[in-house]
């Protein structure tokens, strides 16, 4: 494991030196690579020698360089890069979830759709448990489920799950654990160090950080990542070299961005808690969040995401979202620009009102992704929109 600090790893890990002295890895956009001999080609094809071969396989220096950096972010033995977060999740589920997948708590809508509607078509058993149903996990594991998947903090209620406790329980029953670390980012949370087997990312969010690229990643041990390789290769879910280079560039500034976002989100959460037109604020850094103590233990920063509950109806919250000027009304997160979404009209629009209520998602909730603008300006924007 690399003992350098995270910021140092973000800048230097994975970079390859080229013949011209470039300070970071050049972009190799070629789809294929020449060999001096058939013997050398076969050595690379058969894995006897490292080398570049074909970009869709990931055997491309720019992609491999990115993967070195991604692995270093989570202090993992290996990482695979993908063309999206969903591509990463799909490859993980198809490789390691075939005995059954348990999803704990709320997850991104696309993940829930894949688990609830699509993987069962292939005969893969899937189980969606709310945080309040955690007691059912052990029985599902006894029943043979082989993979536990969850987000912590979760979306949009910022529920916190105990990575160490869930991992210990799953491992006792021979199951694997994957944590979607997108919301926290590796700056604030290190799932592998807490016992999880995989960290999964939508790199489209904090790792990309500028709302201008789509990518995904899985980090973990060599033993568990190698079987995923063929699925990624034949599903064709490889990241493009141009995007890999863009993502590596963004990761070099990840800690600076995320630490600033942590600080601004905390200030905004506190300001919103004192606002008379806000009836609730969910943020791991606020002591009133039920998961605050656990978050303080397993996270080193509380993240740039928060959810506010506007006092009034869902329509009142919609009006606030529509009146915001600096916070853009857009369904994503983790970028330098602040974004707002109303879960009942975006991420959780597909659920019935009863199902949303069961999940603790009210119509008057607004999810905020805090960017890099001045926190005072963001608070002023929220104040004018709240009226
Ligand atoms: N995981 C989380 C927590 C997400 O928010 C998203 C997308 O919003 C995904 C995974 C899927 O990522 P992508 O859009 O890169 O496929």
């Amino acid at each position: 494991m690399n003992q350098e600090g995270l910021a140092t790893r973000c800048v230097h890990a994975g970079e390859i030196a080229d013949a011209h002295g470039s300070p970071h890895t050049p972009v190799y956009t070629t789809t294929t690579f020449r060999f001096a001999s058939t013997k050398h080609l076969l050595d690379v094809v058969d894995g006897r020698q490292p080398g570049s071969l074909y970009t869709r396989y990931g055997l491309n220096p720019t992609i491999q360089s990115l993967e070195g950096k991604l692995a270093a972010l989570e202090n993992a033995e290996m990482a695979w890069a993908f063309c999206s977060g969903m591509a990463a999740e799909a490859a993980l589920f198809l490789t390691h979830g075939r005995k059954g997948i348990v999803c704990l708590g709320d997850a991104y809508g696309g993940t829930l759709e894949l688990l609830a509607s699509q993987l069962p078509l292939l005969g893969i058993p899937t189980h969606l448990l709310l945080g309040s149903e955690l007691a059912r996990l052990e029985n599902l594991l006894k029943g043979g489920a082989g993979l536990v998947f969850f987000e912590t903090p979760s979306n949009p209620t910022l529920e916190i799950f105990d990575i160490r406790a869930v991992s210990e329980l799953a491992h006792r029953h021979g199951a694997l654990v994957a944590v979607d670390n997108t919301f926290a980012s590796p700056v604030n949370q290190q799932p592998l160090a807490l016992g999880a087997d995989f960290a999964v990312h939508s790199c489209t969010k904090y790792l990309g950080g500028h709302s201008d690229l789509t990518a995904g990643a899985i980090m973990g041990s060599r033993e568990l990542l190698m079987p995923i390789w063929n699925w990624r290769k034949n599903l064709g879910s490889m990241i493009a070299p141009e995007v890999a280079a863009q993502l590596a560039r963004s990761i070099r500034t990840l800690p600076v961005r995320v630490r600033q976002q942590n600080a601004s989100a905390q200030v905004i959460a506190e300001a919103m808690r004192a606002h008379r037109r806000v009836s609730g604020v969910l943020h791991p850094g606020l002591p009133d969040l039920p998961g605050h103590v656990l978050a303080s233990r397993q996270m080193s920063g509380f993240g740039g995401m928060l959810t506010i509950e506007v006092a009034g109806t869902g329509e009142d919250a919609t009006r606030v979202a529509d009146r915001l000027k600096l916070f853009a009304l857009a369904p994503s997160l983790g970028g330098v620009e602040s974004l707002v979404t109303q879960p009942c009209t975006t991420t959780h629009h597909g659920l019935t009102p009863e199902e949303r209520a069961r999940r603790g998602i009210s119509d008057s909730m607004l999810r905020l992704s805090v960017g890099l603008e001045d926190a005072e300006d963001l608070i002023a924007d929220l104040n004018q929109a709240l009226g």
Side-chain angles (χ1 to χ4, degrees):
M1 295 295 144
N2 192 325
Q3 293 311 308
E4 287 170 335
L6 182 70
T8 307
R9 280 178 269 149
C10 282
V11 175
H12 293 291
E15 302 292 342
I16 55 173
D18 77 343
H20 305 283
S22 164
H24 49 251
T25 307
V27 194
Y28 292 89
T29 62
T30 51
T31 55
T32 191
F33 296 84
R34 288 168 53 176
F35 290 85
S37 68
T38 303
K39 179 186 174 307
H40 185 204
L41 186 150
L42 283 174
D43 281 347
V44 174
V45 170
D46 296 338
R48 283 186 294 277
Q49 260 190 45
S52 302
L53 174 68
Y54 191 61
T55 291
R56 177 171 53 79
Y57 292 11
L59 298 179
N60 168 302
T62 308
I63 295 171
Q64 289 170 314
S65 161
L66 168 71
E67 289 175 340
K69 201 179 278 303
L70 288 169
L73 282 183
E74 295 280 7
N75 250 326
E77 225 178 331
M78 284 190 91
W80 295 139
F82 291 83
C83 61
S84 70
M86 285 311 301
E89 288 184 20
L92 172 71
F93 294 155
L94 289 168
T95 312
H96 289 293
R98 295 198 298 274
K99 286 194 280 177
I101 304 165
V102 186
C103 176
L104 294 182
D106 250 309
Y108 166 62
T111 308
L112 292 178
E113 190 181 0
L114 180 64
L115 289 170
S117 314
Q118 295 177 287
L119 293 181
L121 299 176
L122 305 178
I124 298 179
T126 61
H127 314 271
L128 308 183
L129 294 189
L130 295 186
S132 55
E133 298 169 323
L134 206 55
R136 288 179 50 206
L137 176 60
E138 183 150 25
N139 269 343
L140 292 170
L141 294 169
K142 281 182 186 156
L147 180 67
V148 183
F149 178 91
F150 57 100
E151 294 180 17
T152 181
S154 73
N155 172 28
T157 52
L158 285 299
E159 197 171 5
I160 310 291
F161 288 93
D162 189 331
I163 299 175
R164 194 182 291 285
V166 172
S167 302
E168 281 171 8
L169 177 67
H171 292 159
R172 272 205 300 281
H173 294 277
L176 299 171
V177 173
V179 174
D180 182 332
N181 205 25
T182 301
F183 256 49
S185 93
V187 179
N188 292 325
Q189 184 168 270
Q190 296 269 298
L192 302 183
L194 293 165
D197 301 287
F198 306 100
V200 183
H201 282 275
S202 167
C203 306
T204 314
K205 316 300 185 206
Y206 285 101
L207 270 52
H210 298 73
S211 307
D212 61 359
L213 65 84
T214 301
I218 307 175
M219 295 81 155
S221 67
R222 169 174 290 276
E223 185 191 352
L224 293 174
L225 259 69
M226 283 315 291
I228 301 175
W229 196 80
N230 268 323
W231 283 97
R232 178 183 66 164
K233 173 167 78 90
N234 295 330
L235 290 169
S237 41
M238 180 49 59
I239 191 169
E242 295 86 341
V243 180
Q246 207 180 351
L247 177 55
R249 183 178 62 182
S250 294
I251 291 172
R252 292 182 195 115
T253 59
L254 177 74
V256 195
R257 285 186 280 111
V258 169
R259 285 173 194 146
Q260 182 58 49
Q261 285 163 311
N262 287 347
S264 296
Q266 183 75 33
V267 173
I268 294 169
E270 282 163 15
M272 287 301 102
R273 194 163 56 151
H275 200 291
R276 64 182 174 80
R277 292 228 42 222
V278 174
S279 56
V281 182
L282 302 173
H283 179 65
L286 292 184
D288 19 302
L289 189 90
H292 172 71
V293 173
L294 176 56
S296 309
R297 199 166 69 224
Q298 74 179 11
M299 301 179 79
S300 53
F302 294 122
M305 299 300 298
L306 68 137
T307 294
I308 63 169
E309 209 155 1
V310 175
T313 63
E315 287 79 45
D316 292 324
T318 305
R319 271 191 289 279
V320 173
D322 288 344
R323 276 202 296 257
L324 283 165
K325 294 189 172 81
L326 274 180
F327 281 91
L329 183 62
S332 192
L333 61 115
V336 295
E337 55 286 289
S338 294
L339 302 179
V340 58
T341 52
Q342 187 176 11
C344 75
T345 62
T346 50
T347 49
H348 294 71
H349 187 54
L351 301 182
T352 61
E354 296 71 36
E355 184 53 26
R356 281 200 295 272
R358 203 171 79 86
R359 291 171 176 272
I361 301 166
S362 75
D363 289 358
S364 56
M365 278 182 173
L366 295 179
R367 188 192 79 183
L368 306 178
S369 167
V370 175
L372 290 183
E373 303 91 342
D374 291 299
E376 301 72 37
D377 293 335
L378 294 172
I379 292 170
D381 192 30
L382 285 161
N383 285 341
Q384 68 74 24
L386 286 160

